[in-house]
Amino acid sequence: MLTICIPIYNHDVRPLVSAICSQAAAVDGSIDVVCLDDGSLPSYKVLNSEVDSLCRYIELPQNVGRSRIRNSFLNYLSPECTHMLFMDCDLLVTDSQFVERYYKAMAAGEQVVVGGHVYPSECPSADCRLHYMNGVNRVSKSAEERNKHPHRSFMTGNFMIRRDILERIPFDEQIVGYGHEDTLMGYRLLQQGIPILHIQNPLLAKDLDTNAEFLDKTRASIENLVLISQRLGDPEFDSQVTLLRYGRMANRLHLARIGRWAFRLMRRRMEARFMRGCGSTTEFLIYKLGFLFHEYALHS
């Protein structure tokens, strides 16, 4: 049995749940849909409570974070459930065969399957260009490309996992801020020798963050990444993450101090450009590397 798990936080999930439940009903198999609200604003709870007529809808009393909310779904599964399909609440289904593809992968015995993400054909506005640029150039990749490095490409917004694997290897609940809980999970699956299959079954990222929101989330994710790296103290983990690999290379070449100095000098100017929707993917990578050096200095 497949359980579709949708964690909710401050989004109207009615269109997503309606589409998913319609597809689930059309599949020749047993599928359950569960929504867990992670402490959303009351206005969203009022809207989303309407899906209770379509699926199981549960409101948690307070926000527990991106890792714990996913683990919490284990408390609401039926005994027959063998696989869990996770979908972020801010994504949309664009293909009528979305649920069926995952169901077939489950029936084929796959352990972990990732469907991917796509973005609108054009950037909606300059105010969300930073998120759009990063998504199109770094996140939206074909299944063929993702399968070249399947564990590095693991993302939590659209994936299926066998229930017993998540019970044995849950998301790390020490990660309470934003970002990189998926990076660590991908690495843990690699350590345990659990294969990840990437398929072409994407969800659409339609509700993009503003440039200011995306900058805030980027900084928060790098803060998390540094804390995870230092807590693990595992060079192999660092080698799996592009930003950490660049950071280690800069340290070996004795460039980290120069990088911190340059970042302090250029930070405000770069952030002002990003806020206006300017800058390239390369510039944004340089900014992230500079912020990484900044965080290393704070936590050293």
Side-chain angles (χ1 to χ4, degrees), residues 48-64:
N48 292 328
S49 63
E50 296 178 15
V51 306
D52 194 43
S53 62
L54 300 174
C55 65
R56 282 191 288 159
Y57 171 77
I58 301 108
E59 294 177 356
L60 300 186
Q62 61 186 14
N63 182 271
V64 298

Side-chain angles (χ1 to χ4, degrees), residues 9-21:
Y9 184 68
N10 289 344
H11 270 86
D12 180 358
V13 297
R14 293 175 299 173
L16 173 62
V17 171
S18 177
I20 285 299
C21 288

Side-chain angles (χ1 to χ4, degrees), residues 10-298:
N10 289 344
H11 270 86
D12 180 358
V13 297
R14 293 175 299 173
L16 173 62
V17 171
S18 177
I20 285 299
C21 288
S22 294
Q23 288 196 22
V27 173
D28 184 18
S30 183
I31 300 178
D32 194 13
V33 181
V34 180
C35 294
L36 283 187
D37 183 274
D38 192 18
S40 295
L41 293 171
S43 58
Y44 285 105
K45 289 182 179 180
V46 171
L47 291 175
N48 292 328
S49 63
E50 296 178 15
V51 306
D52 194 43
S53 62
L54 300 174
C55 65
R56 282 191 288 159
Y57 171 77
I58 301 108
E59 294 177 356
L60 300 186
Q62 61 186 14
N63 182 271
V64 298
R66 292 165 61 88
S67 291
R68 185 175 294 180
I69 188 67
R70 290 181 172 87
N71 293 339
S72 296
F73 279 94
L74 291 167
N75 300 321
Y76 300 95
L77 303 178
S78 68
E80 295 79 18
C81 174
T82 59
H83 287 70
M84 305 166 70
L85 168 55
F86 284 90
M87 305 170 59
D88 278 358
C89 65
D90 58 347
L91 302 174
L92 291 177
V93 178
T94 62
D95 191 310
S96 61
Q97 303 302 306
F98 175 82
V99 173
E100 185 174 3
R101 288 194 188 94
Y102 272 119
Y103 195 84
K104 288 180 177 178
M106 179 189 74
E110 298 295 346
Q111 299 182 60
V112 182
V113 183
V114 179
H117 299 74
V118 291
Y119 287 76
S121 57
E122 294 182 359
C123 182
S125 72
D127 192 44
C128 60
R129 184 178 179 275
L130 196 59
H131 188 178
Y132 182 79
M133 175 183 68
N134 186 80
V136 169
N137 294 321
R138 298 188 63 82
V139 178
S140 183
K141 298 180 180 179
S142 69
E144 181 181 8
E145 189 172 1
R146 286 182 274 124
N147 274 316
K148 293 176 181 177
H149 302 285
H151 293 82
R152 293 184 194 176
S153 302
F154 177 77
M155 298 182 71
T156 56
N158 175 18
F159 81 103
M160 183 178 71
I161 188 169
R162 215 171 62 194
R163 173 184 183 169
D164 65 299
I165 293 175
L166 186 61
E167 289 173 334
R168 181 160 49 93
I169 311 172
F171 284 94
D172 189 338
E173 295 185 5
Q174 293 186 62
I175 305 175
V176 294
Y178 177 85
H180 287 291
E181 70 283 346
D182 50 359
T183 304
L184 181 55
M185 175 60 92
Y187 182 62
R188 290 173 126 184
L189 293 172
L190 175 66
Q191 286 182 307
Q192 295 297 317
I194 296 171
I196 297 177
L197 173 67
H198 292 263
I199 64 174
Q200 199 63 26
N201 199 25
L203 291 172
L204 174 66
K206 186 178 180 183
D207 296 331
L208 302 181
D209 295 325
T210 65
N211 296 330
E213 290 169 341
F214 194 73
L215 266 178
D216 284 341
K217 286 184 176 181
T218 296
R219 289 189 290 259
S221 70
I222 294 173
E223 290 170 5
N224 256 8
L225 183 60
V226 169
L227 292 174
I228 293 169
S229 174
Q230 294 187 338
R231 176 159 60 88
L232 293 180
D234 183 353
E236 184 60 28
F237 171 78
D238 291 357
S239 72
Q240 296 293 310
V241 185
T242 300
L243 197 62
L244 294 179
R245 286 203 308 275
Y246 288 163
R248 281 185 169 272
M249 186 185 303
N251 277 328
R252 287 198 301 270
L253 298 174
H254 305 290
L255 297 175
R257 182 176 298 179
I258 297 173
R260 285 195 299 271
W261 175 81
F263 180 70
R264 285 197 300 267
L265 189 66
M266 301 169 58
R267 178 175 180 175
R268 289 187 179 181
R269 186 180 303 173
M270 295 179 77
E271 289 177 345
R273 281 176 52 76
F274 295 141
M275 291 286 285
R276 295 195 305 270
C278 302
S280 65
T281 304
T282 301
E283 286 179 82
F284 195 54
L285 177 59
I286 292 171
Y287 173 84
K288 290 193 294 183
L289 190 57
F291 193 79
L292 178 75
F293 294 146
H294 169 75
E295 285 299 303
Y296 273 146
L298 287 180

